[in-house]
């Protein structure tokens, strides 16, 4: 059996280096289906992709026409609809999303990309399903399979966010992505609270979520204008997630990485401060409330870049509103932060 698997892999891998005129014959009809079956069986059994088979698949798809791309789409979605068990469905979705993402990167022709565009909404939903929180079992948290699933789903969504010619996102699509990000963060935060520390899996999840939000701010700001409340719900969750462990005396390396990623998100947000500035007050109140509960100087210092980015978005009106809403005990904390911000502003850093 292993010899047959190796032989199949070798045959598939050889497809990417043979003559182009023969490769055109391979992409037609049942031959392409057989190659896809070899890929699928290898992927389903191992749970991860094979670099050589990926190269072969890319080489064949590069020469494929619109009809062949349509055939691949039907093969991928047809096999998925026949799967009933949840565990088998997850592996099948991984395979489908991986193949679709490979085609996104390889296919250049207008006819071929139109075929990808026809299934792009379904593929985005499948990629979002990979981001669905699955933390039922403690031993699965932080596992390589979990992180691989999150990474693959995120990368596919990031490509779709950037490729307007394949999928034009509307307000509803953007809201759906943000809601899934928020659900994933909430589950990650529960795991974080349970273990009383940051783990590599939590930081990886946090980083992927920050990347998605930053990409939406860069490529689809107008759609975000229409769902600002959902966006700031996600930003609040990110903010609280980044503040985890503020009672610790030392700055944890993993926690510092999260705060760095969040600062990048707030910097991307500040470009649109004329639209979002009225929502920033709530984020600053979260920070002030956390500072009131107690925080070491080193932790406070690590939060300052994010706080300065938020303050920079505020006009005099938002600052007055913040002064009214914050508690009397919180005012000294904010005054210290604001004075430090003004010094940097005077030096030209803000």
């Amino acid at each position: 059996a292993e010899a047959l698997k190796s032989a199949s892999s070798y045959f598939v891998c050889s497809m990417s280096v043979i003559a182009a005129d023969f490769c055109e014959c391979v992409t037609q009809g049942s031959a392409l289906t057989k190659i896809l079956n070899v890929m699928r069986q290898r992927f389903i059994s191992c749970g991860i992709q094979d670099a050589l088979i990926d190269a072969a698949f890319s080489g064949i798809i590069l020469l494929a026409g619109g009809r062949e791309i349509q055939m691949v789409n039907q093969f991928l979605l047809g096999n998925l609809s026949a799967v009933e068990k949840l565990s088998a469905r997850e592996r099948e979705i991984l395979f489908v999303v991986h193949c679709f993402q490979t085609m996104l990167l390889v296919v250049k022709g207008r006819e071929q990309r139109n075929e990808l565009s026809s299934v792009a909404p379904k593929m985005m939903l499948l990629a979002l399903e990979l981001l669905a929180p699955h933390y039922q079992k403690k031993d699965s948290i932080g596992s390589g399979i979990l992180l691989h699933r999150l990474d693959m789903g995120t990368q596919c969504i990031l490509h779709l966010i950037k490729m307007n010619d394949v999928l034009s996102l509307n307000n509803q699509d953007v809201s759906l992505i943000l809601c899934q990000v928020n659900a994933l963060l909430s589950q990650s935060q529960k795991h974080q609270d349970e273990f009383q520390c940051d783990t590599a899996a939590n930081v990886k999840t946090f980083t992927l979520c920050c990347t998605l939000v930053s990409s939406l701010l860069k490529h689809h700001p107008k759609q975000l204008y229409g769902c600002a409340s959902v966006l700031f719900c996600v930003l609040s969750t990110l903010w609280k997630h980044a503040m985890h462990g503020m009672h610790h005396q030392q700055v944890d390396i993993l926690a510092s990485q999260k705060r760095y990623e969040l600062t990048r998100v707030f910097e991307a947000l500040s470009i649109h401060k004329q639209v979002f500035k009225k929502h920033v007050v709530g984020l600053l109140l979260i920070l002030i409330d956390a500072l009131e509960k107690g925080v070491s100087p080193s932790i406070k210092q690590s939060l300052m870049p994010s706080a300065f980015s938020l303050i920079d978005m505020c006009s005099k009106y938002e600052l007055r509103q913040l002064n009214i809403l914050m508690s009397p005990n919180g005012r000294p904390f904010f005054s210290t932060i604001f004075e430090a911000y003004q010094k940097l502003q005077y030096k030209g850093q803000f």
Side-chain angles (χ1 to χ4, degrees):
E2 289 299 323
L4 286 174
K5 287 182 180 179
S6 299
S8 298
S9 298
Y10 178 80
F11 170 74
V12 173
C13 294
S14 67
M15 291 299 100
S16 62
V17 294
I18 59 178
D21 55 346
F22 181 67
C23 201
E24 290 178 0
C25 300
V26 175
T27 59
Q28 296 179 7
S30 60
L32 180 57
T33 303
K34 290 178 181 178
I35 293 172
L36 284 168
N37 273 318
V38 172
M39 286 183 62
R40 178 175 175 272
Q41 290 169 9
R42 183 68 178 266
F43 197 96
I44 298 298
S45 61
C46 299
I48 57 175
Q49 63 267 33
D50 185 294
L52 289 175
I53 295 180
D54 282 352
F57 180 63
S58 299
I60 294 171
I61 291 299
L62 187 61
L63 299 170
R67 182 179 178 183
E68 286 75 33
I69 299 297
Q70 183 182 37
M71 183 189 305
V72 174
N73 290 336
Q74 291 173 348
F75 175 89
L76 296 175
L77 296 176
N79 280 316
L80 180 61
S81 62
V83 177
E84 296 181 357
K85 292 183 178 180
L86 179 61
S87 57
R89 177 177 171 80
E90 287 188 6
R91 286 281 179 92
E92 198 72 49
I93 292 175
L94 278 169
F95 172 68
V96 171
V97 170
H98 173 67
C99 289
F100 181 73
Q101 183 177 328
T102 301
M103 290 192 291
L104 280 178
L105 296 174
V106 172
V107 169
K108 303 299 180 184
R110 184 67 263 167
E111 181 186 0
Q112 293 91 326
R113 293 185 79 79
N114 284 340
E115 291 297 334
L116 293 180
S117 181
S118 66
V119 297
K122 293 181 181 178
M123 294 299 181
M124 189 191 77
L125 293 176
L126 292 176
L128 285 172
E129 192 171 335
L130 293 179
L131 267 61
H134 291 281
Y135 285 93
Q136 292 87 349
K137 296 181 180 180
K138 292 183 181 179
D139 57 357
S140 70
I141 300 173
S143 67
I145 294 176
L146 173 64
L147 294 178
H148 176 66
R149 176 166 56 80
L150 293 178
D151 188 59
M152 185 174 293
T154 301
Q155 292 305 318
C156 184
I157 295 169
L158 286 172
H159 287 307
L160 289 173
I161 288 173
K162 297 174 184 177
M163 296 179 177
N164 287 323
D165 62 323
V166 175
L167 180 62
S168 181
L169 296 178
N170 55 34
N171 291 11
Q172 185 178 359
D173 297 327
V174 171
S175 295
L176 185 60
I177 294 171
L178 291 173
C179 288
Q180 194 68 298
V181 167
N182 202 50
L184 179 60
L185 282 168
S186 298
Q187 287 294 331
S188 176
Q189 196 167 15
K190 289 180 182 178
H191 169 239
Q192 183 176 267
D193 293 338
E194 182 180 353
F195 284 81
Q196 293 297 310
C197 66
D198 279 307
T199 64
N202 272 330
V203 174
K204 178 68 173 179
T205 300
F206 186 89
T207 301
L208 291 175
C209 292
C210 286
T211 304
L212 282 171
V213 175
S214 296
S215 185
L216 287 172
L217 283 167
K218 180 179 180 180
H219 297 283
H220 297 280
K222 292 183 179 179
Q223 285 78 4
L224 287 172
Y225 296 166
C227 53
S229 58
V230 183
L231 171 63
F232 276 83
C233 182
V234 174
L235 292 176
S236 298
T237 307
L238 284 169
W239 200 208
K240 293 174 183 177
H241 202 296
M243 290 181 187
H244 181 270
M246 289 182 65
H247 59 281
H248 297 162
Q249 292 301 310
Q250 299 297 325
V251 180
D252 182 76
I253 295 176
L254 292 174
S256 296
Q257 183 180 342
K258 292 198 309 182
R259 289 159 196 158
Y260 170 75
E261 294 293 339
L262 185 60
T263 299
R264 294 178 61 187
V265 174
F266 287 161
E267 288 173 352
L269 184 72
S270 65
I271 299 173
H272 312 282
K273 63 181 180 181
Q274 293 302 322
V275 177
F276 294 130
K277 60 184 179 181
K278 62 183 178 182
H279 300 278
V280 171
V281 174
L283 296 177
L284 287 170
L285 287 172
I286 292 174
L287 172 63
I288 295 168
D289 181 63
L291 293 175
E292 283 186 61
K293 294 176 181 178
V295 57
S296 69
S298 57
I299 298 291
K300 180 180 177 181
Q301 188 63 32
S302 71
L303 292 168
M304 288 305 98
S306 295
F308 293 159
S309 294
L310 294 176
I311 294 173
D312 194 55
M313 294 179 64
C314 296
S315 65
K316 293 180 179 180
Y317 174 79
E318 280 76 39
L319 292 175
R320 284 198 300 267
Q321 185 182 16
L322 181 63
N323 188 55
I324 293 171
L325 292 174
M326 74 174 74
S327 66
N329 293 333
R331 288 195 177 94
F333 292 104
F334 181 72
S335 296
T336 303
I337 297 172
F338 191 71
E339 288 173 5
Y341 162 76
Q342 286 181 315
K343 289 180 181 178
L344 289 177
Q345 191 178 40
Y346 178 75
K347 292 179 182 179
Q349 296 184 33
F350 274 93

